[in-house]
Amino acid sequence: MPRINEHYRNLRAAYLFAEIRRRADAFAAAHPEARLVDLGVGDVTRPLPASVVRAIHEAADDLARPETFKGYGPYAGYEWLRAAIAAHDFGARGVRVGVDEIFVSDGGKSDSANLQEIFATDCVVAVMDPVYPVYADTNVVAGRTGAADASGRYAGMVYLPCTAENGFQPALPDGRVDLIYLCYPNNPTGAVATRDALARWVDYARAHEAVIFYDAAYEAYIVDDDVPRSIYEIPGAREVAIESRSFSKSAGFTGMRLACTVVPKEAHGRTAAGETVSLNALWTRRIGMKSNGPPYVIQKAAAAVYTAEGHKEVRALVDFYMSNARIIRDGLAAAGLEVYGGRNAPYVWFRTPRGVSSWDFFDRMLATAGVVGAPGSGFGPAGEGYFRLTAFGSREHTEEAVDRIRTRLRA
Ligand code: PLP
């Protein structure tokens, strides 16, 4: 038998959302009469925009005709899609991003998971705590962290705690770090970074020769004008930041799979011998080795998002979910809970009642209200004592969940 990668044994037993599903399914099996409402996993529920659906049909027709058939596409995605992304997501906001700096992929999950493999295994990694679990887990299996202690902390990882006490804005690291994962708007806390806060991170990375992986998967949810949409709005960021975007939560592409990552030409790492290496060149090499790009049909569908009609439809989708966020925020606050997020982000984050752990609250909410949420501790040790609800449910489920929490959980 071959030896396995034993770093996998350092992961928690199950991926957070798999454990949520397991507990919810077990409860449903034991209580078939319970009508569960799921605001746990952050998956969208509205159908695709009409212009996207039209583009899918047209692209399918292209594949049916010999003169428009497509086989393998470019590794980094079709140029027409990358040009649209450069123009609309960045150029329209005065941010310069080259087409050859954009890499289209099948998801922000894969990009955020794969990024670490172009860095040395002895790089020190810093993650916001709590945060999307993929950044930590993929560094665990790469062997950068060792085993977790009883609280779930890995000795080899630098945690940047984000709690109500610091306004969910982490302090800069004390010691040396090489790779910093920042996620704004944040999953799960819903916090955003001001321009000054982001500028502090960029300055830090420049001064300490670190690289920032900036996950902007929820950028479409920013409503406040003074909140940056891209880290490249910050001077100097092109030398130290890699930014990831996703169509999942803006255009409803969670089942379609399309995202992109920007690796600027100015971003560099170094070899052990001290030679400077372009991260854009390394990522280009990685993509060429491991991917043949997302399907043509999906890329065509993504390009439809940038038409005038597509843009309007996506705006309506985001507005719909943000109305859900308002309903959740207001409802939980009315129930006397301490509520955060949900303003520039589709997640509402709140404290569990005093002395009740996140998982105990999960079980209590499931049993008394029939509502599935996400326990804060699943996103990192500093998430203990917090809980997340998503705004991606249907309006009916959102209202029902809030109503049940108000009337049943209070008692
Ligand atoms: N980044 C963050 C912070 C997320 O919360 C998610 C999905 O939940 C992703 C990335 C993954 O997005 P995608 O569907 O593009 O893989």
Side-chain angles (χ1 to χ4, degrees), residues 107-109 132 135 183 187 215 217-218 246 248-249 257 259 347:
K109 185 174 194 178
Y132 185 52
Y135 320 141
C183 174
N187 174 13
D215 188 340
Y218 299 100
S246 171
S248 281
K249 307 297 166 69
R257 312 306 304 141
Y347 294 115

Side-chain angles (χ1 to χ4, degrees), residues 17 42 106-110 112 131-132 135 183 185-187 215 217-218 244-249 253-254 257-259 347 388:
F17 297 107
D106 72 337
K109 185 174 194 178
S110 354
S112 60
V131 85
Y132 185 52
Y135 320 141
C183 174
N186 187 261
N187 174 13
D215 188 340
Y218 299 100
S244 171
R245 298 265 177 126
S246 171
F247 287 65
S248 281
K249 307 297 166 69
F253 271 47
T254 55
R257 312 306 304 141
L258 204 96
Y347 294 115
R388 189 195 83 174

Side-chain angles (χ1 to χ4, degrees), residues 2 15 37 40 59 120 141 170-171 184 247 261 272 303 316 360 406:
Y15 183 60
V37 176
V141 301
Y184 289 114
F247 287 65
T261 285
D360 284 350
R406 234 188 1 233

Side-chain angles (χ1 to χ4, degrees), residues 94-156:
V95 174
R96 174 179 58 93
V97 166
V99 170
D100 54 359
E101 296 174 320
I102 294 174
F103 299 84
V104 170
S105 80
D106 72 337
K109 185 174 194 178
S110 354
D111 285 349
S112 60
N114 291 329
L115 177 83
Q116 47 79 30
E117 73 178 56
I118 62 167
F119 295 97
T121 46
D122 63 356
C123 276
V124 179
V125 171
V127 290
M128 297 170 81
D129 172 21
V131 85
Y132 185 52
V134 172
Y135 320 141
D137 286 359
T138 50
N139 279 287
V140 169
V141 301
R144 293 197 178 88
T145 65
D149 64 17
S151 73
R153 282 185 178 76
Y154 292 93

Side-chain angles (χ1 to χ4, degrees), residues 145-171:
T145 65
D149 64 17
S151 73
R153 282 185 178 76
Y154 292 93
M157 178 105 72
V158 173
Y159 290 89
L160 307 170
C162 305
T163 60
E165 286 66 35
N166 63 14
F168 302 102
Q169 299 300 331

